[in-house]
Amino acid sequence: MLGPVDRGGTSTRVRQPGRHPPHPLTSSGRYQQQSATTFNEGSYKLQISRSDMADLAHFLAVARRRSFRQAGLDLGVSGSALSHSLKALEARIGVRLLNRTTRSVTLTAAGEHLYAAISEPIDTLGQALEALNRFRDRPAGRIRLNVPHDAAIHLLTPVIPTYVERYPDLELEVAVSNHMVDVTDGGYDAGIRFGGTVPEDMIARRLSSGIRWVVVGSPAYLDRHGIPRHPDDLMHHQCLRIRDGAGRAYEWELERDGQARTVSVPGAMIIDETRFAIGLVEKGVGLAYAPKLAVEQGIAQGSLRQVLEDWSSTGPGYYLYYSSKRQLPMGLKVLIELIRELRPLGY
């Protein structure tokens, strides 16, 4: 990702289908075999079978994603299997929960009511199961992350080989995108973004030191158009403008000796991906504003030259963030610890 401005949400995990709840304990401390759990409310009795528990987890995933396909990817089952599961649930309870069309899935009024009623209890069950990880010899489970391109390349790539070697029972799924997403609605356990862009209701854990931002151009471009000596000179150059994850044009932030300048640079190109921008700069298209870590190799090889060196600025580093309403999953805990141990971008 080019610009240090990006936001995201967080995630909620759903207990994996097919895992049955434990039998209730009797007063003697022994397990009593039961095929269903009975809830009493006044004179009304509702029995929830084991298949109902699995189907309710399926319903919750579909309700959050509004898609059988996406919910199936989250749960590791096919979309058609989810559809059959929810049709069976609707038939058993005698109420339609979903409106289905070829293009969308929406909740009925009954579905909205059920979704609101079961979200927190099922999340609590999932967190209780996750908490059992601390009793294992080694953590297990599945973690889903949403990260920008630059973080995937420069922060995660150096640590993933060690992560999978140390924790073979952990499954890590990484969605790489520079677009801002609500990681809760997206079914992610956490996201990684630049500090200062994480929503206030999230818990953020620092993963790196500050990121230095620089202006670069190719030797050929600078020979033709001259070298900018001051931020005001950028107004006379072709610049590759930045579109941040929210779709906004990002201004170049420069500073020297405590003096800060924000420049709305001119340019016919608007880009949101660093590697693409660097490739264009190397072809002489214009100047780019990018993290120093992304252009160091090009500078060393001579395909790029840094300009305005005394005006480079340092922005917040990368942070992992997750919901303040849930405990930290063990898979995320060990990932944070490993990144801080290996320090691919400092700390």
Side-chain angles (χ1 to χ4, degrees):
M1 170 182 171
L2 273 170
V5 180
D6 211 347
R7 296 183 184 269
T10 160
S11 73
T12 305
R13 293 190 60 182
V14 179
R15 182 166 56 86
Q16 294 295 322
R19 295 182 181 175
H20 305 306
H23 301 297
L25 279 169
T26 65
S27 59
S28 65
R30 296 182 179 179
Y31 284 105
Q32 176 183 335
Q33 289 282 344
Q34 289 190 184
S35 61
T37 302
T38 302
F39 293 89
N40 290 283
E41 186 174 345
S43 61
Y44 179 71
K45 283 188 176 181
L46 173 63
Q47 287 197 335
I48 300 180
S49 67
R50 292 176 178 178
S51 60
D52 286 335
M53 292 295 290
D55 290 344
L56 288 173
H58 291 172
F59 165 76
L60 192 59
V62 173
R64 284 174 171 153
R65 298 290 262 161
R66 296 299 199 268
S67 164
F68 286 107
R69 186 181 69 83
Q70 293 295 330
L73 291 174
D74 293 345
L75 298 177
V77 299
S78 68
S80 61
L82 281 183
S83 180
H84 289 307
S85 171
L86 293 184
K87 286 180 180 178
L89 176 63
E90 291 173 324
R92 288 198 302 274
I93 65 178
V95 176
R96 185 159 57 91
L97 301 173
L98 302 172
N99 293 315
R100 304 166 175 85
T101 69
T102 56
R103 294 187 177 181
S104 66
V105 177
T106 59
L107 299 180
T108 64
E112 292 282 4
H113 177 79
L114 180 63
Y115 176 61
I118 70 172
S119 293
E120 184 173 346
I122 289 185
D123 286 347
T124 300
L125 288 173
Q127 291 184 35
L129 292 174
E130 170 63 35
L132 296 178
N133 254 323
R134 71 177 186 269
F135 298 104
R136 299 177 185 270
D137 292 333
R138 56 190 187 189
R142 183 185 185 207
I143 297 297
R144 301 186 74 235
L145 294 178
N146 183 277
V147 304
H149 286 85
D150 286 349
I153 295 171
H154 302 289
L155 186 68
L156 292 185
T157 298
V159 304
I160 293 302
T162 304
Y163 184 84
V164 298
E165 181 180 355
R166 285 189 188 179
Y167 310 108
D169 295 330
L170 281 172
E171 178 183 345
L172 179 63
E173 179 179 342
V174 181
V176 181
S177 173
N178 289 337
H179 294 290
M180 285 199 314
V181 299
D182 185 321
V183 294
T184 298
D185 290 344
Y188 300 102
D189 292 292
I192 295 177
R193 294 293 182 229
F194 288 109
T197 67
V198 177
E200 292 183 358
D201 59 341
M202 301 295 145
I203 296 175
R205 302 291 184 92
R206 183 161 60 92
L207 301 178
S208 78
S209 57
I211 303 296
R212 189 180 179 197
W213 292 79
V214 300
V215 180
V216 295
S218 70
Y221 174 88
L222 296 172
D223 288 343
R224 291 196 310 270
H225 300 279
I227 299 174
R229 306 292 183 184
H230 188 275
D232 291 343
D233 296 340
L234 294 173
M235 302 307 294
H236 306 292
H237 283 266
Q238 286 292 325
C239 300
L240 302 183
R241 298 159 63 198
I242 300 170
R243 183 79 69 188
D244 67 22
R248 298 169 300 205
Y250 183 75
E251 298 178 329
W252 294 13
E253 297 177 353
L254 305 167
E255 60 182 49
R256 181 183 65 182
D257 300 330
Q259 180 185 3
R261 295 291 301 271
T262 300
V263 184
S264 181
V265 296
M269 292 287 299
I270 302 177
I271 298 171
D272 73 344
E273 208 283 312
T274 303
R275 289 171 299 178
F276 180 41
I278 292 172
L280 292 177
V281 171
E282 290 177 332
K283 297 294 184 181
V285 173
L287 303 177
Y289 179 74
K292 180 69 176 290
L293 56 90
V295 298
E296 285 177 330
Q297 182 176 359
I299 293 174
Q301 294 174 345
S303 61
L304 296 173
R305 285 176 58 188
Q306 182 179 343
V307 298
L308 297 173
E309 294 188 47
D310 54 345
W311 281 93
S312 62
S313 63
T314 300
Y318 287 112
Y319 284 71
L320 181 144
Y321 63 95
Y322 57 95
S323 174
S324 59
K325 299 179 181 179
R326 61 169 301 181
Q327 65 184 8
L328 179 66
M330 183 60 68
L332 288 181
K333 180 176 183 294
V334 296
L335 177 62
I336 293 171
E337 291 173 350
L338 182 61
I339 292 174
R340 291 178 173 178
E341 173 190 339
L342 298 182
R343 301 188 175 196
L345 297 179
Y347 180 65

